[in-house]
Amino acid sequence: MEYQVDLDVFHGPLDLLLYLVKRDEIDLRDIPIARVAEQFKQYLDVLQVIDVERVGDFLVMAATLAELKSRMLLPRAEEDDGQEEDPRQELVRQLLEYKRFKDAAALLEQQAEQQATRLPRQPPPLPAPSGPTPLRPVELWDLVSAFGRLLRETLALQPQQISVDQTPIHVYMDEIAGRLRGTERLPLSQLFTPPYTRSRLVGYFLAILELTRRFSVLAEQDEQFGDIWVSLGPLPSETTVFEDLAPV
């Protein structure tokens, strides 16, 4: 029995494309399609393992990137006016429009947070941090990438067998929250305990995503591609969770 997952944290293929462009510091108007297509496929492989309900949108985008990649590699016919439309133009237009809306949403959220701090009395400023490099919040796709690496490392060492795991996700959520209560923070990989079956790994990962969405836990890292550290969030963890997150 497999998980069928429909979480609102998966914002769609344009969100993933924009993340790849930002992470690799690529000019949005001059996207290297071949490189981005390969990276997009790596994330798609992980999403297919998780079995996200809306993964079809990502498959369509992967097909679009593959088509653009082939068109970029094929010899281009000479046109009379010497000008040829860039096959990436429509994709760039969609990304630019999506980025404008996403930036506007982020600005509105920032202004809402600033407005919310105008009435309460502010605490005294904290002393300047010293010592190790401060951690930065991670994005959804950082977690997906880390989970993909963990899948490759753990499943490669395990005998391949079909196992049925009907454990509700809220059980994994309670287990993760309980383990974090006993320590300041833990690396992401240590939240996954054996046996390392695919369904069990997916269950833990979805539990982490749901806890992150509820701000019950925080995921941070000190450098790109570095270890992701997970700790309890500022809000109290919920003792009762939605049981409809159980596998169907």
Side-chain angles (χ1 to χ4, degrees):
M1 184 173 297
E2 297 291 341
Y3 287 107
Q4 187 73 16
V5 183
D6 184 12
L7 297 178
D8 57 7
V9 292
F10 288 93
H11 298 298
L14 285 178
D15 188 70
L16 173 55
L17 277 180
L18 196 60
Y19 165 80
L20 293 175
V21 168
K22 181 179 67 174
R23 187 193 67 182
D24 293 348
E25 298 181 350
I26 297 173
D27 184 355
L28 196 56
R29 292 177 175 80
D30 188 23
I31 301 174
I33 291 296
R35 189 166 111 204
V36 170
E38 291 300 322
Q39 295 177 357
F40 190 92
K41 181 182 179 300
Q42 293 175 8
Y43 283 83
L44 178 60
D45 292 340
V46 179
L47 294 182
Q48 288 177 303
V49 169
I50 301 174
D51 196 18
V52 180
E53 189 171 314
R54 294 193 298 274
V55 76
D57 295 337
F58 292 86
L59 288 169
V60 172
M61 179 59 72
T64 301
L65 291 173
E67 179 187 4
L68 290 176
K69 178 180 176 181
S70 63
R71 290 172 63 184
M72 296 289 292
L73 294 175
L74 290 174
R76 303 184 184 182
E78 295 290 339
E79 294 190 359
D80 296 336
D81 56 0
Q83 299 291 330
E84 184 178 1
E85 182 180 355
D86 192 327
R88 302 170 296 179
Q89 184 175 353
E90 177 61 22
L91 179 62
V92 169
R93 185 194 64 78
Q94 294 180 41
L95 277 176
L96 287 172
E97 184 176 358
Y98 180 79
K99 184 177 184 299
R100 283 196 294 269
F101 279 102
K102 189 169 183 178
D103 290 345
L107 179 60
L108 289 175
E109 183 177 357
Q110 181 182 7
Q111 291 177 345
E113 292 177 355
Q114 292 176 351
Q115 182 69 20
T117 61
R118 295 184 64 180
L119 294 179
R121 183 175 181 179
Q122 297 299 307
L126 297 175
S130 60
T133 304
L135 300 176
R136 66 172 183 85
V138 300
E139 295 189 33
L140 164 68
W141 303 111
D142 294 312
L143 287 171
V144 174
S145 178
F147 179 62
R149 293 194 299 270
L150 188 142
L151 273 179
R152 292 191 295 270
E153 294 169 0
T154 55
L155 294 182
L157 303 176
Q158 300 296 317
Q160 298 300 312
Q161 60 182 7
I162 299 176
S163 60
V164 178
D165 185 355
Q166 300 185 19
T167 306
I169 293 182
H170 71 81
V171 173
Y172 291 118
M173 293 171 64
D174 291 341
E175 179 182 337
I176 290 171
R179 294 181 62 193
L180 290 173
R181 289 191 192 100
T183 183
E184 181 180 357
R185 62 176 186 169
L186 285 174
L188 178 67
S189 58
Q190 289 190 17
L191 296 178
F192 297 82
T193 58
Y196 295 119
T197 61
R198 174 170 294 186
S199 57
R200 185 176 171 85
L201 290 172
V202 170
Y204 274 117
F205 181 62
L206 294 176
I208 292 170
L209 287 183
E210 182 63 22
L211 287 169
T212 303
R213 184 182 71 84
R214 300 179 182 208
F215 300 102
S216 297
V217 302
L218 298 178
E220 302 170 305
Q221 65 182 165
D222 54 3
E223 60 181 353
Q224 188 170 314
F225 305 116
D227 289 336
I228 292 180
W229 295 88
V230 182
S231 60
L232 286 178
L235 299 180
S237 300
E238 299 180 26
T239 56
T240 304
V241 296
F242 296 113
E243 296 195 5
D244 58 2
L245 289 174
V248 295

